Amino acid sequence: MVTRFALALSVLAALALVACNPRSDDTGGLDVRIVSIAPDPAAVGDATLTLEIRDLEGAPVSGATVEVEGTMTHAGMEPVIVATEETSDGTYVTQDFAFTMGGDWVIIVRAILADGSTAEQRVELRGVQGEMKMDMNSDKAKEGN
Amino acid sequence: MATLRAHQPRQRDLLDAPVVGRFLRWKHARTTLQAVLLAVAALILYDGFWGPQLAPKNLAGVLPWVHWRGFVVLALLVAGNLFCMACPFMLPRRLAKKLLPADRPWPAWLRSKWLAIGILLIFFWAYEAFDLWASPWLTAWVVLTYFAAAFAIDGIFRGAAFCKYVCPIGQFNFVHSLVSPLEVKVRRPALCGACTTKDCISGRYEPKQESGAPGLAPAGVQPSLLRQPGASGNAPTRRHAGASALPSPSGHSGASRNPELRGRPDTADEKPVSLKPDMDGDGRLSRHAVGSSIQEELTGQDAVREQGSAHHTGARGDAPHVGHSGVSRNLSSPDTEGQTHAAATIASLRAQAPDKPHSAGLRLIQSGCELWLFQERKVGNMDCTFCLDCVQACPYDNVGIQLRAPTAELRRLDAWRSGVGAVVQRTDIAALVIVLVFAAFVNAFGMVPPVYALEEWLAAALGVRSEPVVLGVLFVVGLIALPFALVTLAAWLSRALSGGQESLGETVTRYSFALIPIGFGMWLAHYAFHFLIGALTVVPVAQSFLADFGVPFLGEPRWELAAVVPDAWLVPLELLLLELGMLVSLTVGFRIARQQHGSAAGAARALLPWAALILALFASGAWLMTQPMEMRGVILG
């Protein structure tokens, strides 16, 4: 009986081992930054996100077709998916983007580069304010990887 | 019996429904439902561990936190404890019962809801502190831990210890199913009075064919009765093989455990059962069915001497008496009452095969209730998992899933309930109720901006920046200290205003059940919100999941699919659910007060503080729902 119990525990331990690391997402070899959000701080409603896309050497990535998807960290919300317009070398501005709920957002940037290759990167945007503006959040909208 | 039937029209019963009823009567109905949810759980585990670590894109983010929670509360509202009925954690647990000893009694000092309350508190805290809703990986770990805990606990301990004493989901369902419209219940109580075998609790056995045990009669049934006309071995049976001296109300032939009268072989569990004390088949009855084992359990601290023994059935009318050999009949507790009956049946069966005491050749063909809810004495839904073992086990088709007034059982708080006792005497159940009621509001409070301001203030006041610590303080206050203070104050005022004679603790316990509807209304409003705005998100997430395996399904994932109702409906709908909860709470509270104080005026005075608490909870809920929602994780950075 002890053997059976040990066997059962071993199976569980094996499961635990294979599951010990979550999958990391492919960053696509690009450096994507949100350089500005209007309004600032980010709040529910229409918003304009300005992105800067550079390669690993720091050179701006031009001529790409860039799509921006905003989704929340909580499941169950319809994501906001919009196109962008390149306003200068490596700088892209979203068209018709809107935050539909306050809270933590993830901005997913998908790019089809001029050479046809694709890349995707995620940027966390925490603390988008709800409809009721609160001073405590004024320094909360921040970017990061 | 015909007279009995004529004067007791059957209540509306889900088992009589054309399609659903037929399905639920099927022997493999529960296993089928469990298999479906097991497959869903497997998907959650796979995607949670190896899928994209973004909750809205992962089945482990969508299915548990949007769909499962919504289905659970909606099922409780319109039907009953359907999740426990289809619980996937019970399939590995069934395996554990076969692989592992499962012969230890659950420790007496843990035979209450306190452990489950502790786990619930930890879960509610962890949910916020580690943003479980935002982490598919952690969600998968929670699910895996659940499987492992159910497997280990029920592999070590007998009965359904995990469901009854540990499972936090089960406790949530048990409490809120007290206001559900369906109840697993005896159809004709008088028929149970004449039943001597109590298959609903002891399970049904039949002799193994190869054993050749001649004419082994079931406990308490006279062999002569088994051989009555119409109960022949060739008589067709619908599904039961239980022995009966009684005419079957559903037309069963009364085929028996007697090999001469055995029912259809397709009803048989192939697992042979031996009656040797240290051996078993199913892992529940036979191993500890002998008197010594039962006595051992009865010496636990919750084994209380029961007042009166009328419920020890088996000696009513002209029915033969069950020989409770080796079992002390005047010792019974909520937990052990069913075991007493089970032990009596098994002991009696053993006594009929004295020449083969340890290999009587019986095999279990249907388990009885593993949560020790003896149908004849069962009241309400507390601790009932809707597993339908009792429905399957009863040879007289005398257990149904009956429609009832949703709060009907809250009028019977003083009634002795098999496997539970009188809930009005169970401070642990009252504490569970209170924690769940306040958790409904604290959980929703975690999603509106004022909580962030409170966290910032608290962090500054405590001089800490650790979010788990700050949340820990908030949860201790919100789920323990504040509820304790409020219900104690309400009880004190209630006694002072009405001149009530009950102790403060008894008053708290009694009136806590009036809070269930308002708490359930809040859970409904919250989880229905997530479900209604995100029900269709499972479509693109499933499309994306399949696409990862190179299986395109209906084209590109349709991420625009999400809500099933317009946004404008949500707040009115949430408020409606909360208002319904408040009104039902006030009604239940008034009924409780009337039962205690008789006059309407006295009841009103007793209810007043509790009504104020219910209204305060309603106001809190309404305020929360009208706040802008923010789904945030890290607050303190």
Side-chain angles (χ1 to χ4, degrees), chain B residues 471-608:
Chain B
L471 283 169
V473 173
L474 277 179
F475 275 87
V476 167
V477 172
L479 295 185
I480 298 174
L482 183 63
F484 180 80
L486 290 176
V487 298
T488 303
L489 178 64
W492 184 80
L493 287 172
S494 179
R495 290 174 69 231
L497 290 172
S498 66
Q501 299 300 307
E502 278 191 323
S503 71
L504 201 61
E506 288 168 340
T507 308
V508 167
T509 301
R510 183 178 297 278
Y511 283 92
S512 66
F513 290 92
L515 304 178
I516 293 174
I518 182 75
F520 185 46
M522 191 65 203
W523 284 117
L524 263 174
H526 184 180
Y527 288 173
F529 166 82
H530 285 298
F531 180 70
L532 294 175
I533 66 166
L536 297 181
T537 56
V538 71
V539 175
V541 175
Q543 286 181 298
S544 177
F545 178 81
L546 291 171
D548 284 349
F549 290 95
V551 184
F553 180 66
L554 299 176
E556 288 293 309
R558 297 186 58 190
W559 295 109
E560 73 277 13
L561 293 175
V564 289
V565 298
D567 285 355
W569 292 16
L570 292 172
V571 170
L573 186 61
E574 290 173 60
L575 288 173
L576 176 66
L577 292 168
L578 191 64
E579 283 169 13
L580 279 175
M582 174 195 67
L583 291 173
V584 176
S585 269
L586 289 173
T587 306
V588 171
F590 187 69
R591 282 195 196 128
I592 291 172
R594 274 302 286 271
Q595 283 178 342
Q596 265 208 303
H597 299 281
S599 72
R605 283 194 297 274
L607 179 64
L608 196 59

Side-chain angles (χ1 to χ4, degrees), chain A residues 1-9 12-13 15-25 44 69 71-81 100-106 108 110 120 122 126-134 136-137 139-140 142, chain B residues 48-57 61-62 65-66 69 98-101 127 133-134 137 141 144 147-148 151-152 156 447 449-450 452-454 456 465 529-530 533-535 537 548 559-562 627-637:
Chain A
M1 209 55 74
V2 172
T3 308
R4 285 179 178 175
F5 194 74
L7 183 65
L9 281 180
L12 287 174
L15 269 174
L17 280 175
V18 295
C20 64
N21 285 309
R23 189 176 93 176
S24 58
D25 295 300
V44 169
E69 175 181 346
T71 190
M72 300 203 71
T73 53
H74 195 297
M77 292 292 291
E78 180 184 347
V80 180
I81 302 174
T100 52
M101 181 180 281
D104 295 340
W105 282 72
V106 176
I108 304 170
R110 298 189 194 90
E120 178 177 312
R122 295 174 187 175
R126 292 177 184 160
V128 172
Q129 292 180 351
E131 292 159 43
M132 185 177 68
K133 304 296 184 288
M134 297 188 66
M136 59 161 287
N137 284 332
D139 61 345
K140 279 292 177 185
K142 55 188 177 183
Chain B
F49 284 133
W50 295 290
Q53 291 303 305
L54 184 58
K57 306 280 186 185
V62 173
W65 305 123
V66 175
R69 293 194 305 188
K98 294 183 185 297
L99 292 178
L100 302 175
Y127 177 79
W133 40 271
W137 186 70
W141 266 112
L144 185 62
F147 276 114
F151 184 91
I156 295 170
M447 298 191 66
Y452 311 133
L454 181 60
E456 291 279 6
R465 296 300 293 173
F529 166 82
H530 285 298
I533 66 166
T537 56
D548 284 349
W559 295 109
E560 73 277 13
L561 293 175
Q627 293 296 300
M629 186 170 283
E630 291 191 12
M631 295 197 277
R632 293 182 57 181
V634 177
I635 309 302
L636 301 175

Side-chain angles (χ1 to χ4, degrees), chain B residues 197 199 204-206 218 221 225-226 228 230-246 248 251-264 267 365 393-396:
Chain B
T197 54
D199 305 50
R204 282 192 295 121
Y205 294 81
E206 69 174 14
V221 178
L225 291 173
L226 289 175
Q228 66 179 316
S232 74
N234 296 326
T237 62
R238 280 170 58 191
R239 63 190 173 90
H240 292 304
S244 174
L246 301 166
S248 170
H252 293 176
S253 66
S256 82
R257 299 182 184 89
N258 188 319
E260 297 174 4
L261 309 174
R262 197 180 311 125
R264 291 200 321 235
T267 62
I365 57 175
C394 178
Y396 312 116

